[in-house]
Amino acid sequence: MAEARALTRHGGVAAVRKNWRRYSVGYLFLLPAAILYAVFMVYPFVRSVYLSLTDWDGAQPVKHFVGLRNFQTLIQDPLVWTSLGHNLIWVVIGTIVPIVIGLLLAVLLWSRPRGFTIFRTIYFMPQILPAVVIGIVWSWIYNPVFGLLNQALTAVGLDSWTHGWLGEPNLALYAVLAAAIWAEIGFVFVIVLAGLQNVSRELLEAALIDGANAWQQFWHVTIPQLANVLTTVTVLLLIGGFSVFDIVFVMTGGGPANSTELIATYTYKEAFTQNQVGYAAALSLVLTAISLIASVVLIRVRERGEP
């Protein structure tokens, strides 16, 4: 028995050595990326796990171990649940609306009509702008005194529709969300447009011969062939919806009255304003776990529907 184990161990070591000799050059090419990933992803994650178990304030050299106390406090913190609710609203609306609009625009330009390049550039341009710039520009648009939106509503006789968009708690979140959706549509449009190039024209023609109308062709032929593309876009938007920070921080800072507070902005404030780095680390881990679980569930649900 011992001899068999020794032989097995020796065979495993020999296989490892053989694979190393065969793929050593490939491993060396992967090494820089692996080092960067370890330094900027693995280490910060492990560090966050450690800090979440302490009461560190970000300044004192001593970190007192408190176990799961930060997570217990988190569960009892009403602002956490308020922020999570805002994140869920952001994820639902901020995922569905860009996908629907981006998909429709991509389908409309699928046949490459006259001016295709111009339209594609215009639709994608917001995506290349920094979120800070988008936030500043849209803050000007929403300005209740000189903002373009209120001036346009007044010009067409809709004075009663004018608001202090970023100053009213019941409107602020949706106003910021509208700006974010405007920026994300171009991303969805370009990705879906690229995916449409792989859609089989033969299947569409066969469906047309069988009597399918335009909607039936779109729903039963085009959409199934875009399943992987739509899943990828959905996961990216979903993760972005849970971790969104910059545009909200620039436009409202989480206000007014915490009406636009999200988990990411709340985490920032706890870490750098309240000096509760340990508690903020716990919040960041919860945010990571939620994003990971939602992404895995979405992918599993889509894969279950595949043959």
Side-chain angles (χ1 to χ4, degrees), residues 204-224:
L204 290 172
E205 293 173 358
L208 179 62
I209 294 173
D210 289 339
N213 56 35
W215 169 253
Q216 291 171 331
Q217 294 176 48
F218 172 75
W219 187 253
H220 296 289
V221 179
T222 303
I223 291 297

Side-chain angles (χ1 to χ4, degrees), residues 16-39:
V16 170
R17 289 177 178 174
K18 182 179 179 180
N19 286 333
W20 171 254
R21 287 194 298 269
R22 178 180 298 177
Y23 302 114
S24 57
V25 176
Y27 292 147
L28 290 176
F29 277 109
L30 290 175
L31 185 60
I35 293 174
L36 290 174
Y37 184 80
V39 171

Side-chain angles (χ1 to χ4, degrees), residues 88-155:
L88 292 176
I89 294 174
W90 191 289
V91 166
V92 173
I93 300 177
T95 299
I96 294 176
V97 175
I99 288 178
V100 171
I101 298 177
L103 177 61
L104 292 177
L105 290 175
V107 171
L108 289 175
L109 294 181
W110 186 11
S111 60
R112 293 178 175 266
R114 185 185 301 273
F116 167 79
T117 303
I118 297 176
F119 285 118
R120 183 178 60 182
T121 303
I122 292 174
Y123 293 150
F124 187 70
M125 190 171 293
Q127 185 63 31
I128 67 176
L129 296 175
V132 173
V133 173
I134 294 173
I136 293 174
V137 171
W138 277 86
S139 295
W140 294 341
I141 293 174
Y142 286 135
N143 189 283
V145 178
F146 60 81
L148 180 62
L149 180 57
N150 279 351
Q151 290 185 1
L153 291 173
T154 301

Side-chain angles (χ1 to χ4, degrees), residues 224-237:
Q225 295 184 73
L226 290 175
N228 291 331
V229 173
L230 294 177
T231 299
T232 301
V233 170
T234 302
V235 169
L236 292 175
L237 291 178

Side-chain angles (χ1 to χ4, degrees), residues 238-277:
L238 186 145
I239 295 174
F242 278 116
S243 60
V244 62
F245 168 78
D246 38 19
I247 191 169
V248 177
F249 188 77
V250 170
M251 294 184 69
T252 64
N258 299 319
S259 61
T260 60
E261 198 75 88
L262 304 176
I263 295 293
T265 57
Y266 186 42
T267 300
Y268 173 86
K269 291 178 181 178
E270 288 296 309
F272 301 107
T273 303
Q274 303 300 324
N275 294 328
Q276 299 291 333
V277 176

